[in-house]
Amino acid sequence: MSDDALAAMDATDQANLVAVGDASPADLVQATCRHIDRIDRDLGAVAVRFGSDAINDAISVARSGPYLGVPFLMKDVGARQAGQPYYAGNQALRDADHRADKDTILGARFRELGLVTVGNSNSPEFGLQSNTWPIAHGPTRNPWDLSRSAGGSSGGACAAVAAGLVAVAHASDGAGSIRIPAAWCGLIGLKPSRDRIDWRYAGHDRPDVEFVVARSLRDTARFLDLLRPAEIRQKYPGRYVASLEEAPRPLRIGLCTDSPDGGPVHPACIRSVEQAGQTLRDAGHRVEQSAPATFLEYEERALYGAVFGFHEYLSCLEDLEIRLDRSVGPEDVEPFLWELSRLGGHDMTPGEIEQATSWLSRWEHRTLAWFDDFDLLVTPTVCEPAPLLESLNPTTHTAIELLEKMVPHMAFTEIWNATRQPAISLPLGWSEEEALPVGVQFIAGPGREDLLLSLAALLLPKIDALPHLPPIHA
């Protein structure tokens, strides 16, 4: 097995190498570490490298698990594994060499699958931005063009998978953090329904979810099967892998290329959605221009949502104080977090919070009602191809300037975190002007990941016809 051959394989093929004895877990991990050492100096996708520790883990790993010995990256925000560095993109945690004290539920599941963690992928501080440039670790660059952003907050994970450093990596999505970097790096990026995955916040009604980004659609489906709660896995084994072989019935599909925030949408993004719509028409589906009316109620929803965004910033500071076991100040976090945590929200009355909660609940129900008549909605994933990295430099822009740049990037994605629906970004488009991939987003009703995966399998030949290997690749 050559290093080049390994870099072209998905996680299932890599696991098969180990299963038939053509490679050992240590072989896979050593090759992956060589890839990271050679490629990541330019890319900046891996914030923390485990090196010899990962190789030792691969040698001693238990002889079980469907992905035994497959190299893996944990995102530096979210799920954790005991004893491993966990910095959350924060310089104070990095300087303290903070370590996770135990596995989270999802971190333990990754171990049970046989995956060998070789490092932590880069992420913006606490996963709060649509670009990956933590001051603690520096920027992650896009493997299609090193002057471009890889997106965020799962930018390190997506850049690493797109560049062939690993075949699969942990990721999370609170407002588009899987789908945005997947679109900009030319990957398949699935945000599952709320609580589809077995994780530590199940039942807490949170907008964020955790999952993986993978090199292939079959890995995406298989990990969705394997990461569900045990009782569901046992009752419906292989449900999502099977959906890849199921041709969907004729569907009613809405298309929308107008950005919810009213901003411009790049012509390549519009064109990619329209082309996907025509492909679906040709396959016998009913496709029309339509979207929930609530889709364009952006300003009012943003006003109410800001109430809870403020509390997210405060919770990051509270979490940091717990981990450092001391109070924290502006010197402990990036200006982006500190400045936004000082804005508004302190004097919100219980009545105002209740008003915001009630409006947002009604908005969610009105949005979901559209899916009573439609099976799918198709939109651009992001309003533009990957922007220039320097335009999102956290050391030269104020917090408000960065936030204003982020809002259009999340306009098509954040909505579906709020409504708990599954959404997938597929690399169906291409911008000739920038020579960059373009993502098209498909949204289904709650719990209908099977529909998204069967549609993705239908469109896979179109994906294969586009450029799929970036210039920076292992």
Side-chain angles (χ1 to χ4, degrees), residues 142 145 147-151 183-185 384-389 434 436-437:
N142 195 310
D145 180 343
S147 71
R148 301 278 175 169
S149 170
W184 287 350
C185 292
E384 62 178 347
L388 290 170
L389 185 60
E434 294 91 353
L436 293 171

Side-chain angles (χ1 to χ4, degrees), residues 213-229:
V213 288
R215 188 166 299 157
S216 69
L217 188 59
R218 69 171 176 175
D219 278 352
T220 302
R222 197 174 184 207
F223 273 91
L224 194 60
D225 277 321
L226 293 170
L227 294 175
R228 293 175 296 166

Side-chain angles (χ1 to χ4, degrees), residues 76-262:
D76 198 30
V77 172
R80 298 178 285 282
Q81 294 179 326
Q84 293 179 357
Y86 182 77
Y87 304 151
N90 172 263
Q91 191 161 323
L93 289 175
R94 185 204 66 185
D95 292 347
D97 191 24
H98 176 74
R99 303 274 170 151
D101 59 350
K102 61 182 179 180
D103 286 353
T104 60
I105 293 171
L106 187 56
R109 286 292 300 136
F110 290 143
R111 291 191 195 272
E112 292 166 6
L113 296 182
L115 296 164
V116 178
T117 304
V118 299
N120 290 350
S121 66
N122 205 14
S123 172
E125 186 180 58
F126 298 107
L128 294 176
Q129 298 186 42
S130 62
N131 178 49
T132 298
W133 192 330
I135 294 174
H137 301 297
T140 296
R141 300 179 182 277
N142 195 310
W144 290 94
D145 180 343
L146 294 178
S147 71
R148 301 278 175 169
S149 170
S153 63
S154 303
C158 287
V161 172
L165 302 185
V166 291
V168 62
H170 167 231
S172 59
D173 190 313
S177 289
I178 287 175
R179 289 157 290 158
I180 293 168
W184 287 350
C185 292
L187 291 179
I188 298 164
L190 173 66
K191 179 200 81 71
S193 301
R194 187 177 302 168
D195 292 347
R196 173 67 67 216
I197 300 305
D198 201 4
W199 73 315
R200 68 194 186 283
Y201 290 126
H204 288 211
D205 202 31
R206 292 172 61 102
D208 52 328
V209 299
E210 295 191 63
F211 188 46
V212 299
V213 288
R215 188 166 299 157
S216 69
L217 188 59
R218 69 171 176 175
D219 278 352
T220 302
R222 197 174 184 207
F223 273 91
L224 194 60
D225 277 321
L226 293 170
L227 294 175
R228 293 175 296 166
E231 63 275 15
I232 304 298
R233 293 198 307 272
Q234 293 162 6
K235 189 174 182 180
Y236 303 105
R239 175 188 179 191
Y240 296 113
V241 170
S243 69
L244 300 179
E245 304 297 328
E246 297 169 359
R249 59 177 172 76
L251 303 172
R252 188 181 184 192
I253 300 170
L255 255 64
C256 181
T257 56
D258 294 329
S259 179
D261 74 337

Side-chain angles (χ1 to χ4, degrees), residues 433-448:
E433 181 180 356
E434 294 91 353
L436 293 171
V438 169
V440 177
Q441 180 179 223
F442 295 75
I443 306 99
R448 292 309 310 270

